[in-house]
Amino acid sequence: MTELPPVSVEALEARIAALFVRCGVRAKSAASVARVIAAGERDACKSHGVYRVEGCLRVIAAGKVVPDAVPRVHDGGGAVIEVDAGGGFANPAFDAGADLLAGRARELGLAALVIRDCLHFSALWSDVEAMAAQGCAAISMCPSYAVVAPAGGTTPLLGTNPFAFGWPRPGPHPYVFDFATSVAARGEIELHRRAGKPIPEGWAVDAEGRPTTDPDAALAGAMLPFGAHKGSAISTMIELLAGAMLGEFMSREALDFGGGAGLLPRHGALVLAFDPARFAARSGRDPLAEGERLLDAIAGQGARLPSERRFAARAVSLREGIALTEAEDARLGRYERLGLAGLES
Amino acid sequence: MTELPPVSVEALEARIAALFVRCGVRAKSAASVARVIAAGERDACKSHGVYRVEGCLRVIAAGKVVPDAVPRVHDGGGAVIEVDAGGGFANPAFDAGADLLAGRARELGLAALVIRDCLHFSALWSDVEAMAAQGCAAISMCPSYAVVAPAGGTTPLLGTNPFAFGWPRPGPHPYVFDFATSVAARGEIELHRRAGKPIPEGWAVDAEGRPTTDPDAALAGAMLPFGAHKGSAISTMIELLAGAMLGEFMSREALDFGGGAGLLPRHGALVLAFDPARFAARSGRDPLAEGERLLDAIAGQGARLPSERRFAARAVSLREGIALTEAEDARLGRYERLGLAGLES
């Protein structure tokens, strides 16, 4: 894996955005999608970095995404703001509603952003970081493809259903966690498969419900929820709140609609935003200063805060740039020259 | 453990309420507290049943609760409804705000109930079941006492921080889960201690950070979060949202204020309510019918839904009544005769 000379985050972002435009994506949407992919690479979060470009192009080639969809905002004036992604990618829809969501949270104390009918592939930490940058605590969740068996079951029914939380901090970075409610993220299994490496025990069962360390068998079988029945319950909550409640696909329906887990799933997403200043107002306390007492104490006993590794990688990337491997660069180059025809079958 | 002839749920509730009034609790608050304790016993949820009467009386005897506090509702008209428990029990404060919360969720789509300055001891499933009975999905969470070490740490800093979720179903019972974000609930360790039984491995470490199966050593050391770093992250989120954000005590401060974990903790609580009909309206789908498809499929593959055992026990209790043991009956009888003087030192 020879690395090329590093480029700036902005340069990588612009390169990816141009590539998407070349493949028929509306410019503003291409910018939104490129931003989260470059951010994944910047944070050394490889499972959500340039590796994701191919997945985006494949849904375009398959005609399963509307690349020129314009997100439409529906705001009934209550605490729920809806953005219809119109079958486009989730990121431009989030960007179309983010400021409105933060503003409504400041006005009412809390508010929800509902994204309808989107193609989803990005890590949720970008959503909650954007909210934290506006001073809001946030929870983000969505279904995915039914590839996880519920605790006590044997057949895939739940998605890997990510759950993310952000909390604003006075320093440069918020408190952020973002995890799959499966033991591992599907992207991690996919990366093991590409690398030809076995997955750890306890991540998955095969199509017959037997434990397996073979990534292919795992992808054909069922992944397991984290934390046994508790993680399974949280994943079920995500199906209900970010699927059934919105009237959008749950993970089973997304899988049936997609005809398999090979392409990005189509479903909805839910982001909740809270204004701590508003919640704390009558207490006379500073909620962010209170939060610091806890977070400092966690770090003080040597326990790592979530996202620390990501923020450390970000600092390096912002200072030194991002170095793609020759293989990654060649792949992007092929898409740049050939557009969707650059996809290997 | 000889069992006495069963009594009706209503009779047990009335008996407990009268006992609390005898000990100085305001009648309406006594009814709220008695309701959740009798409900715990009714559902064979022993750790939240009549066993809890003693804990409530002990905080009264210690002067750490305001038994005649009248909950005060503060409604700024936004999505946040606050109830100041005034140092009284949490349950009357919840009851004072519950209808307002459901109404606001129906009006705005979602709303939050903030309970301030309360003594908390009850399971959260009663909150989310009450919301589900009004057609709302709900999340309830609160800090507790700092008795759990964060993942990667060794010293107690987080509470057992319960997290509950409810989703309305067409049948007699909602979908409900309610769990401690520690591997086990503190009440379960307490019950092991009372029974003189060791706790399972993996539940806790002793005061020196070493794994232990001794309930006394566990109570003096630190419990462990469920699901490793993911459960630890969720517990941290609960500290931030239901502690720092409200300007109320987090678990560390509650422990310092309480002078140890021997008495019920004083802190705040947060309940979020969602109106699925409002969220789904533009989709044209019935969110509850969608939810049924998932829940039926989970049950259909033989995986148990959370709370099923509780609902089964409830059916038996409602039909046949609740049989207390002689020891439980004798203890209640002592409080009835002697009031707070019936507490053993």
Side-chain angles (χ1 to χ4, degrees):
Chain A
M1 287 212 308
T2 313
E3 282 189 354
L4 296 176
V7 297
S8 73
V9 178
E10 293 73 21
L12 180 62
E13 196 175 306
R15 181 181 183 188
I16 297 168
L19 186 162
F20 281 130
V21 169
R22 162 99 171 79
C23 295
V25 180
R26 171 179 164 261
K28 201 167 175 184
S29 298
S32 288
V33 174
R35 195 176 308 124
V36 299
I37 290 178
E41 203 65 36
R42 173 199 70 196
D43 288 7
C45 181
K46 294 299 282 185
S47 63
H48 288 88
V50 293
Y51 148 73
R52 291 284 179 170
V53 170
E54 179 183 332
C56 295
L57 298 188
R58 285 204 182 276
V59 278
I60 300 173
K64 295 275 195 181
V65 70
V66 181
D68 58 351
V70 180
R72 282 177 306 173
V73 175
H74 296 268
D75 178 9
V80 182
I81 291 150
E82 300 179 49
V83 182
D84 190 340
F89 292 109
N91 316 95
F94 175 81
D95 289 347
D99 287 349
L100 205 51
L101 173 64
R104 195 59 48 85
R106 279 190 289 267
E107 184 191 333
L108 297 176
L110 78 158
L113 178 67
V114 171
I115 300 179
R116 297 199 175 283
D117 191 21
C118 65
L119 276 279
H120 209 288
F121 71 93
S122 55
L124 299 183
W125 51 254
S126 61
D127 299 355
V128 298
E129 282 194 26
M131 285 299 109
Q134 301 220 31
C136 291
I139 292 173
S140 182
M141 62 179 94
C142 66
S144 47
Y145 275 139
V147 292
V148 175
T154 54
T155 318
L157 195 53
L158 306 171
T160 51
N161 298 0
F163 186 83
F165 171 71
W167 175 263
R169 301 190 67 179
H173 302 301
Y175 173 84
V176 173
F177 69 75
D178 175 5
F179 56 73
T181 50
S182 49
V183 172
R186 192 172 168 85
E188 291 176 79
I189 296 188
E190 185 62 36
L191 285 178
H192 277 80
R193 189 184 67 77
R194 289 185 174 223
K197 290 193 297 190
I199 57 169
E201 283 179 31
W203 280 21
V205 292
D206 66 17
E208 280 73 43
R210 295 170 307 207
T212 184
T213 59
D214 173 6
D216 283 306
L219 291 168
M223 296 166 65
L224 296 172
F226 92 98
H229 70 284
K230 295 183 181 182
S232 185
I234 289 177
S235 182
T236 303
M237 175 188 80
I238 294 171
E239 295 284 344
L240 293 171
L241 287 183
M245 186 169 83
L246 312 184
E248 296 291 320
F249 287 173
M250 290 183 288
S251 296
R252 181 73 243 175
E253 204 170 0
L255 188 63
D256 293 343
F257 179 83
L263 294 172
L264 297 178
R266 193 155 171 171
H267 50 65
L270 179 66
V271 186
L272 306 176
F274 307 81
D275 179 11
R278 168 95 182 216
F279 272 87
R282 292 191 60 256
S283 75
R285 287 179 159 201
D286 175 353
L288 301 196
E290 293 297 311
E292 288 309 288
R293 297 203 302 160
L294 174 66
L295 300 173
D296 286 347
I298 292 176
Q301 63 175 266
R304 201 175 58 218
L305 292 176
S307 299
E308 264 184 24
R309 252 191 297 218
R310 212 159 48 71
F311 295 142
R314 183 182 304 184
V316 174
S317 296
L318 291 174
R319 196 171 61 237
E320 301 173 9
I322 296 170
L324 296 184
T325 64
E326 280 189 356
E328 289 166 338
D329 178 69
R331 193 183 286 252
L332 293 185
R334 205 166 61 237
Y335 303 144
E336 284 163 336
R337 287 193 311 281
L338 305 173
L340 296 174
L343 287 167
E344 285 161 343
S345 57
Chain B
M1 287 213 306
T2 313
E3 282 189 355
L4 296 177
V7 298
S8 72
V9 179
E10 294 72 21
L12 180 62
E13 195 175 306
R15 181 181 182 187
I16 296 167
L19 185 162
F20 280 130
V21 169
R22 162 98 172 79
C23 294
V25 180
R26 171 180 165 261
K28 202 167 174 184
S29 298
S32 288
V33 175
R35 196 175 308 124
V36 300
I37 290 178
E41 202 65 36
R42 173 199 69 196
D43 288 7
C45 181
K46 294 299 283 185
S47 63
H48 288 88
V50 294
Y51 149 73
R52 292 285 179 169
V53 170
E54 179 182 332
C56 293
L57 297 187
R58 286 205 181 276
V59 278
I60 301 173
K64 294 275 192 180
V65 68
V66 181
D68 58 351
V70 179
R72 282 176 306 174
V73 176
H74 297 268
D75 178 10
V80 183
I81 292 150
E82 301 181 48
V83 181
D84 190 339
F89 292 109
N91 315 94
F94 175 80
D95 289 346
D99 287 348
L100 205 50
L101 174 63
R104 195 58 47 84
R106 279 190 289 267
E107 184 191 333
L108 296 176
L110 78 159
L113 178 66
V114 171
I115 300 178
R116 297 199 174 284
D117 191 21
C118 66
L119 276 280
H120 209 289
F121 72 93
S122 55
L124 299 182
W125 50 256
S126 60
D127 299 356
V128 299
E129 282 195 27
M131 284 300 109
Q134 302 220 30
C136 291
I139 291 173
S140 182
M141 62 179 93
C142 65
S144 48
Y145 276 139
V147 292
V148 175
T154 54
T155 319
L157 195 54
L158 306 171
T160 51
N161 298 1
F163 186 83
F165 171 71
W167 174 264
R169 302 189 69 179
H173 302 301
Y175 173 85
V176 173
F177 69 75
D178 174 6
F179 55 73
T181 51
S182 48
V183 172
R186 193 171 168 85
E188 290 177 81
I189 296 188
E190 185 63 33
L191 286 177
H192 277 79
R193 190 185 65 77
R194 289 185 174 222
K197 290 193 296 190
I199 57 171
E201 283 179 30
W203 280 21
V205 292
D206 67 16
E208 279 74 42
R210 294 170 306 206
T212 185
T213 59
D214 174 7
D216 283 307
L219 292 168
M223 296 165 66
L224 296 172
F226 91 99
H229 71 284
K230 295 183 182 182
S232 186
I234 289 178
S235 183
T236 303
M237 174 188 82
I238 294 171
E239 295 284 343
L240 293 170
L241 287 183
M245 185 168 84
L246 313 184
E248 297 291 321
F249 288 172
M250 289 182 287
S251 297
R252 180 74 242 173
E253 203 170 1
L255 188 63
D256 293 344
F257 178 83
L263 294 173
L264 297 179
R266 192 158 172 170
H267 50 66
L270 179 65
V271 185
L272 306 177
F274 306 81
D275 179 11
R278 170 94 181 215
F279 273 87
R282 291 191 60 258
S283 74
R285 286 179 161 204
D286 174 353
L288 302 196
E290 292 299 312
E292 288 309 288
R293 297 203 302 162
L294 173 66
L295 299 173
D296 287 346
I298 292 176
Q301 63 174 264
R304 202 176 54 220
L305 292 177
S307 300
E308 264 185 22
R309 252 191 298 217
R310 212 159 48 69
F311 294 142
R314 182 182 303 182
V316 174
S317 296
L318 291 175
R319 197 172 58 236
E320 301 175 7
I322 296 171
L324 296 183
T325 64
E326 279 189 356
E328 288 165 340
D329 178 69
R331 193 183 286 253
L332 293 185
R334 206 167 61 239
Y335 303 144
E336 284 164 337
R337 287 192 313 279
L338 304 173
L340 296 174
L343 288 167
E344 284 162 342
S345 57

